[in-house]
C-alpha cells in the first residue's frame, strides 16, 4: 500500500464525547440500519417533491420520521462518499478522491485503490460498542474484490459479516451467484431478502446491530422488467413505432420504474422491522451516495434522475451533486412528520453521531471532520461548529452550467466554490438561493476572503496535496466555442 | 377565424428598402434554400462544439460558408418560431403563442389554431419578386391539415407547391403514403428525395426559387434503424443485459444516430446543389426551430440534445431555449470559413433579409420586427436597430434552473428577463456570460428600468395582451419543496 495512506493517528481511549444519551433512553442500545441508494438524486422521491415517481414506502418512512433537506455527501461520486461515511473524515484526507476501479487506473489518477483499513472505521467503533455489524450490497471501497482476492474484505474494516455481489453472495432463487448482470432488475430484492434474513437472525440477540445496506439501484444499467414498469403504463407510447431491434422504450419510464421497484423492495424491509417488533429500537436511515448523474455524461444505459431545484449533478460540487435525501426514522427517538430545513448534516457525521447513539464513550484521538448531529436526529436544530469542505480533482459533470470549481465550503448559510488558483470564485447564500444562481462574491469580499482561506488551507492540508495530476478539465466550465 | 387575427395593416408598394444589392451582383437572383431542423440544440453539431456527434456535411457547409453564434428563434417552441419566420413579426403579434395542435386545445390556451393567411408572408413576397416557392416537410402553422381539410394549405400562404407529410406526400419506396410512424427513420431521406427532385425541376427555369424544407429530425420519437446507429457502435453495451421486451438501448446513441442520419441525408441535398451547378446562385441556410428539449419534460421517446454552454432549453427564454444554429453558404456572396460572433440575427429577419436578397423593391407598410441582416450574410458585422423581444405564456421547461421569466429582450450585449409583475428581474451580459449565470440587475438599475419599459410596452402592445389565461406556472421557477 502506498505510504501516503499510512495512518499517523490512532484511535485511543479518551474522555467520552457529548452525547444525546440515546443509550440511556432505554435499556437496549438502538440498532442502526443505513440504506444508501446509488445515484438517486435529491429530487427523486415523492417526499422530496417529485411529481411523478411513486415512492410510497420511503414517503411513509419520512412521515414516520424526520426528513432533512440539508444533508450533504462529502463527494459527488461513489467511493469518496462511502469512505467519508466509514471514517468520519473528508475523503481527501484518506486519499480516496474518485470512484475505485482498477489499481492501474487509480494510480494513474492519484487516487487510492482501496480505503486503507488502518484508519478508524465506523463499523469497528460500533463493534467496540457491542454491536454486531453487517454489510450487504455494493462495496466499492476496495479494488474489485472478485478479481483481486488480495484486497481487503469488509471484515477487515470492522464488519462481522458481509454479503457482496460477485463475491460471497448466497444461493438465491435467481441462480447460484449474483454474477450475471441479468440479475440487475432483482438487485434490491436480493439485498432485501438477505437483509430480512439478517434481521431475523438478530431477533433474539442481546446485542444491537448495525446493518449497512448499500444498494445498486438506481445506478445504471437500468433494466426494469416489464412487470416492474406497470406503475407507469400511462407513459407507454400508444403504438409500437418499430419492431424487434429497433424498439426504443422511454427512458423516463425506465428510471421511474427502477426507483419505484427499489422503493417497493425497501417497503418489505421496513415491514420486517415492524413485524419483528424492532421499530422503536431501530434507526432506519435512508440516503444516497451523490446526486443524480447527467445522462449525457455516459454512453450506455443511464437514467435521468432529478436533483430537484439544484444546479449540478454527479461529478459537480454544486448542490445537485452533493445534496441528497436523508430520512431518519426511529419512533420515540426521532420526531415523526418533521422536516428539518436548518440542520446541515453530512456523511462524515455518521461516525460521531452513531458513536453517540451507540453510547460509545471513547474519544477519537485524531481530528474528525464530522460532528455529532444526534441533536438534529432528536428533533432540535443543529448548528455546525466546523465548516464542510469538498475537493473534486477531476472533470466529469457534462454541461458547462453544471461544472463546478474544484473546491467548495459550506459554513452557515453560505457556500463558497473556488479553484485553488482563484480562477473561479463563487459565493452563494444557499439557504436563500439553493439553485446557486446568484453569485454574491463581489458584494462580500471579506466573507470570500475568510472562506477561501479556510478552503485553501484544507486543500493544502491533504496528504497528497501537491501530487496531482488533476484532470485537465478539473474546475473548468469551458465549452468548445465555434472558431 | 377569431377577430383578433384580423389584419389591420396592408402590404403596400412603397420606396425600396436599403439592400445589399444581391440581385445586382450577377444577372440571376439567387435561389434560397432554408432547412430547419426540429428541436436540434445549438450545441448538437460538430461545428458548434459537440465533441461526439458526427455531422460532417453540415460542418462542411459551415466551412464553406459563415457560422453565426448569435442567432435566435423568436420563440422557444415550434409554431411561434415558424410564424415569425413567415411574417417577419414577433409571434405574439400574430397570436401564435404556442405549438399548434387542435382548435379546441388552442382556444383553451388562447393561442391561434392557425397562422392567419392575411398577414404579409415571406413566400408571397418572394412570389412577387419572381420566385417559385416550394415547401417540403413539417408545417405546423395550421391546425392538423390531414384531419381538418378546411384549414389553409401552404398554397394560401404563398407557396406555389408543397409536400406535407400525412397530406399530399407522393408515392415513395417506403409505401404510398407518408403516414405510418414507422417511416420516421426515413423522414429526412424522404424530404431530401423530394427536395432533389424539386431542384432538378428548377434546373432550366429562368426564375429563381425558394425552397423551404422543415425537417422532423431530431424531434421525438427517435427510432433510428440499427444500420443508422453504426457510427456509434463503440457506445454499444458490451453484452446484452436482457432479452426481448426488456432490452433498453442507450438514449445518447439514439440521439446521436438520428442527428447523424439527418446530416447524411442533407449531404445528398447539398451535393445535388453542387452537381446541378447551382452553388453560386443558391443560398443554403441551415437552422433549428428552438433549443433542444429537456427529456424529463416528455414521457415518450425523446432525445437529449445539447444546448451547448447555455442555460435553458425548449420552453424557456434562457439562451438554451432560443439560440440555435444558423449557417449560411453561398460561395462568392457569403464569406467561407467565417464565424460571426457579433451579429445578432433572428427569425423575424428572414422576411426583410430575403427581400433584400431577392431585390424586392416594395416597402412594407406595416411595422416589421425583423431587420435586413444581409450585411451580416455578406461578411460585415450587423448592429440591430431595434431590440429582440420574447414572450412565453406557459410553463414547460422542466427543472427549476431552466424555467425563465415570461418576457425577455436582447439589446446589444444585454438581455433582460422579467415577469410582467416584476416578480423576477434578471439582467445578463450575454456576450460575456452566455450561460446567464451572473445576474447584473442590481448593479444596473437604470439599464433595467429602460429595458423593462420596452419589454412591458411590447407585452402590452400584443393584440391579446389582456386575454390570458397564462399557464399558472408561466414565469415561475418554483419547486415543491418538502414541507
Amino acid at each position: 500500500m502506498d505510504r501516503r495512506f499510512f495512518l499517523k493517528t490512532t484511535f485511543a481511549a479518551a474522555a467520552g464525547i457529548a452525547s444525546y444519551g440515546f443509550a440511556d433512553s432505554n435499556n437496549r442500545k438502538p440498532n442502526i440500519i443505513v440504506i444508501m441508494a446509488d445515484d438517486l438524486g435529491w429530487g427523486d422521491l415523492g417526499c422530496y417533491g417529485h411529481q411523478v415517481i411513486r415512492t410510497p414506502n420511503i414517503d411513509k418512512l419520512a412521515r414516520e420520521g424526520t426528513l432533512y433537506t440539508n444533508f450533504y455527501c462529502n463527494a459527488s461520486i461513489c467511493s469518496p462518499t462511502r469512505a467519508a461515511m466509514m471514517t468520519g473524515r473528508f475523503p481527501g484526507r484518506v486519499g480516496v478522491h474518485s470512484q475505485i476501479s482498477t489499481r492501474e487506473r487509480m494510480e494513474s489518477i492519484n487516487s487510492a485503490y482501496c480505503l486503507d483499513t488502518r484508519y478508524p472505521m465506523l463499523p469497528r467503533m460500533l463493534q467496540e460498542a457491542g454491536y454486531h455489524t453487517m454489510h450487504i450490497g455494493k462495496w466499492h471501497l476496495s479494488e474489485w474484490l472478485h478479481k483481486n482476492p488480495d484486497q481487503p474484505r469488509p471484515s477487515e474494516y470492522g464488519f462481522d459479516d458481509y454479503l457482496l455481489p460477485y463475491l460471497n453472495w448466497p444461493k438465491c432463487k435467481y441462480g447460484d451467484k449474483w454474477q450475471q448482470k441479468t440479475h440487475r432488475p432483482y438487485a434490491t430484492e436480493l439485498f432485501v431478502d438477505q437483509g430480512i434474513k439478517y434481521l431475523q437472525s438478530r431477533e433474539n440477540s442481546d446485542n444491537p446491530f448495525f446493518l449497512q445496506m448499500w444498494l445498486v439501484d438506481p445506478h445504471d444499467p437500468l433494466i426494469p422488467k416489464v412487470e416492474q414498469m406497470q406503475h407507469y403504463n400511462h407513459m407507454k407510447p400508444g403504438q409500437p413505432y418499430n419492431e424487434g431491434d429497433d424498439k426504443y422504450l422511454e427512458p423516463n419510464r425506465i428510471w421511474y420504474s427502477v426507483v419505484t421497484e427499489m422503493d417497493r423492495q425497501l417497503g418489505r424491509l421496513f415491514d420486517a422491522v415492524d413485524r419483528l417488533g424492532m421499530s422503536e429500537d431501530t434507526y432506519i436511515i435512508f440516503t444516497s451516495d451523490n446526486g443524480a448523474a447527467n445522462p449525457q455524461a455516459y454512453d450506455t444505459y443511464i437514467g435521468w434522475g432529478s436533483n430537484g431545484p439544484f444546479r449540478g449533478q454527479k461529478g459537480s460540487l454544486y448542490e445537485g451533486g452533493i445534496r441528497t435525501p436523508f430520512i431518519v426514522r426511529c419512533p420515540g427517538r426521532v420526531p415523526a412528520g418533521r422536516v428539518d430545513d436548518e440542520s446541515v448534516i453530512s456523511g462524515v457525521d455518521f461516525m460521531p453521531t452513531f458513536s453517540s447513539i451507540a453510547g460509545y464513550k471513547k474519544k477519537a484521538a485524531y481530528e474528525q471532520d464530522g460532528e455529532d448531529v444526534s441533536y438534529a436526529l432528536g428533533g432540535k436544530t443543529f448548528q455546525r461548529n466546523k465548516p464542510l469542505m469538498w475537493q473534486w480533482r477531476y472533470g466529469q459533470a457534462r454541461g458547462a452550467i453544471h461544472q463546478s470549481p474544484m473546491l467548495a465550503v459550506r459554513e452557515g448559510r453560505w457556500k463558497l466554490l473556488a479553484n485553488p488558483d482563484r480562477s473561479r470564485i463563487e459565493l452563494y447564500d444557499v439557504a436563500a438561493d439553493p439553485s446557486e444562481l446568484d453569485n454574491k462574491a463581489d458584494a462580500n469580499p471579506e466573507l470570500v476572503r475568510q472562506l477561501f482561506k479556510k478552503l485553501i488551507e484544507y486543500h493544502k492540508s491533504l496528504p497528497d496535496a501537491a501530487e496531482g495530476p488533476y484532470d485537465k478539465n478539473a474546475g473548468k466550465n469551458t465549452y468548445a466555442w465555434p472558431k
Side-chain angles (χ1 to χ4, degrees), chain A:
Chain A
M1 241 172 244
D2 194 294
R3 70 183 186 287
R4 285 186 287 129
F5 300 154
F6 184 75
L7 178 62
K8 299 194 181 64
T9 56
T10 57
F11 200 62
I17 58 174
S19 159
Y20 191 58
F22 294 90
D24 306 322
S25 67
N26 61 18
N27 289 329
R28 191 185 156 89
K29 292 181 178 182
N31 309 308
I32 301 167
I33 301 176
V34 171
I35 300 158
M36 184 157 67
D38 198 355
D39 282 7
L40 183 84
W42 188 94
D44 271 325
L45 302 171
C47 54
Y48 275 87
H50 203 287
Q51 301 298 299
V52 183
I53 294 183
R54 287 167 52 100
T55 52
N57 295 293
I58 298 170
D59 295 352
K60 180 165 171 277
L61 193 77
R63 285 196 306 275
E64 295 170 351
T66 299
L67 180 155
Y68 299 83
T69 63
N70 278 277
F71 177 80
Y72 289 98
C73 294
N74 299 101
S76 69
I77 200 155
C78 180
S79 303
T81 283
R82 294 163 200 265
M85 289 177 179
M86 290 281 283
T87 64
R89 298 170 168 214
F90 297 137
R93 298 220 202 270
V94 295
V96 181
H97 300 293
S98 189
Q99 71 270 46
I100 291 171
S101 58
T102 65
R103 192 170 310 198
E104 293 69 28
R105 163 83 183 141
M106 301 320 288
E107 287 182 345
S108 77
I109 64 170
N110 266 320
S111 180
Y113 54 83
C114 75
L115 174 62
D116 193 315
T117 57
R118 290 170 292 180
Y119 289 110
M121 292 286 162
L122 170 63
R124 274 205 296 265
M125 181 201 75
L126 290 171
Q127 279 177 329
E128 286 189 54
Y131 279 62
H132 187 271
T133 56
M134 175 70 170
H135 175 89
I136 295 176
K138 177 166 175 166
W139 179 240
H140 225 162
L141 286 175
S142 318
E143 194 193 3
W144 299 339
L145 285 173
H146 54 300
K147 294 184 181 171
N148 298 77
D150 65 319
Q151 286 286 292
R153 311 293 167 103
S155 51
E156 295 169 60
Y157 294 86
F159 284 103
D160 292 311
D161 199 0
Y162 60 92
L163 291 172
L164 300 193
Y166 310 115
L167 195 68
N168 68 332
W169 200 261
K171 290 191 184 204
C172 72
K173 63 184 173 185
Y174 297 110
D176 281 359
K177 289 184 289 186
W178 204 95
Q179 293 220 357
Q180 292 90 337
K181 291 209 174 172
T182 48
H183 281 168
R184 193 78 180 201
Y186 312 109
T188 301
E189 178 183 345
L190 294 170
F191 295 176
V192 166
D193 283 349
Q194 299 302 325
I196 292 173
K197 276 187 197 168
Y198 177 72
L199 295 182
Q200 289 166 339
S201 77
R202 302 307 307 164
E203 194 179 358
N204 299 313
S205 169
D206 289 335
N207 294 334
F209 66 81
F210 171 58
L211 170 58
Q212 176 171 283
M213 184 180 286
W214 286 353
L215 309 179
V216 296
D217 281 333
H219 195 294
D220 76 300
L222 302 172
I223 37 176
K225 290 285 175 185
V226 167
E227 62 268 24
Q228 293 172 345
M229 298 174 78
Q230 59 171 318
H231 294 297
Y232 303 100
N233 278 350
H234 60 286
M235 296 170 66
K236 230 172 181 170
Q239 54 181 308
Y241 288 118
N242 239 311
E243 313 81 32
D245 276 344
D246 309 342
K247 191 175 181 184
Y248 308 123
L249 290 179
E250 58 283 49
N252 270 336
R253 188 169 167 239
I254 292 170
W255 176 261
Y256 297 171
S257 300
V258 170
V259 174
T260 291
E261 175 63 14
M262 176 190 81
D263 176 87
R264 188 170 79 93
Q265 297 299 339
L266 291 178
R268 292 172 50 229
L269 188 74
F270 305 155
D271 287 349
V273 170
D274 295 347
R275 201 173 54 247
L276 293 168
M278 293 174 166
S279 307
E280 296 182 6
D281 289 324
T282 305
Y283 282 83
I284 301 179
I285 293 165
F286 178 85
T287 188
S288 179
D289 65 340
N290 44 246
N294 179 350
Q296 293 181 316
Y298 297 84
D299 284 347
T300 62
Y301 307 94
I302 182 78
W304 29 40
S306 167
N307 290 317
F310 304 134
R311 180 179 171 193
Q313 59 218 358
K314 183 178 180 179
S316 165
L317 298 184
Y318 291 123
E319 301 288 272
I322 54 177
R323 233 203 256 205
T324 58
F326 189 69
I327 299 167
V328 183
R329 189 197 81 161
C330 190
R333 304 182 199 238
V334 176
R338 181 170 178 249
V339 172
D340 184 338
D341 270 334
E342 302 290 332
S343 304
V344 176
I345 303 180
S346 185
V348 288
D349 303 332
F350 282 17
M351 197 155 171
T353 304
F354 296 171
S355 171
S356 177
I357 288 173
Y360 187 68
K361 299 296 183 195
K362 293 182 192 169
K363 179 171 172 141
Y366 72 101
E367 194 185 347
Q368 292 194 44
D369 293 309
E371 300 184 40
D372 175 5
V373 301
S374 54
Y375 285 101
L377 306 195
K380 294 178 182 160
T381 296
F382 173 75
Q383 300 286 346
R384 298 197 78 79
N385 296 301
K386 294 178 286 186
L388 290 172
M389 303 284 188
W390 292 267
Q391 186 206 55
W392 174 237
R393 299 173 162 213
Y394 313 98
Q396 169 129 345
R398 194 167 292 185
I401 67 169
H402 298 300
Q403 288 164 349
S404 71
M406 286 175 61
L407 304 172
V409 52
R410 176 160 180 181
E411 189 162 48
R413 61 190 300 120
W414 294 102
K415 182 174 169 194
L416 182 79
L417 297 109
N419 281 330
D421 64 0
R422 297 174 193 257
S423 56
R424 295 174 70 190
I425 300 279
E426 301 175 15
L427 178 72
Y428 300 105
D429 175 354
V430 285
D433 172 31
S435 300
E436 292 168 289
L437 294 168
D438 191 5
N439 184 357
K440 299 283 195 191
D442 287 348
N444 299 276
E446 177 55 23
L447 184 57
V448 167
R449 197 190 62 75
Q450 290 171 20
L451 288 173
F452 185 79
K453 184 163 177 282
K454 291 180 186 180
L455 254 186
I456 206 76
E457 279 171 6
Y458 167 68
H459 173 69
K460 289 182 178 169
S461 77
L462 296 183
D464 51 2
E467 295 199 22
Y470 299 112
D471 188 305
K472 67 181 167 57
N473 293 318
K476 292 187 181 165
N477 59 344
T478 50
Y479 184 82
W481 195 266
K483 296 242 187 295

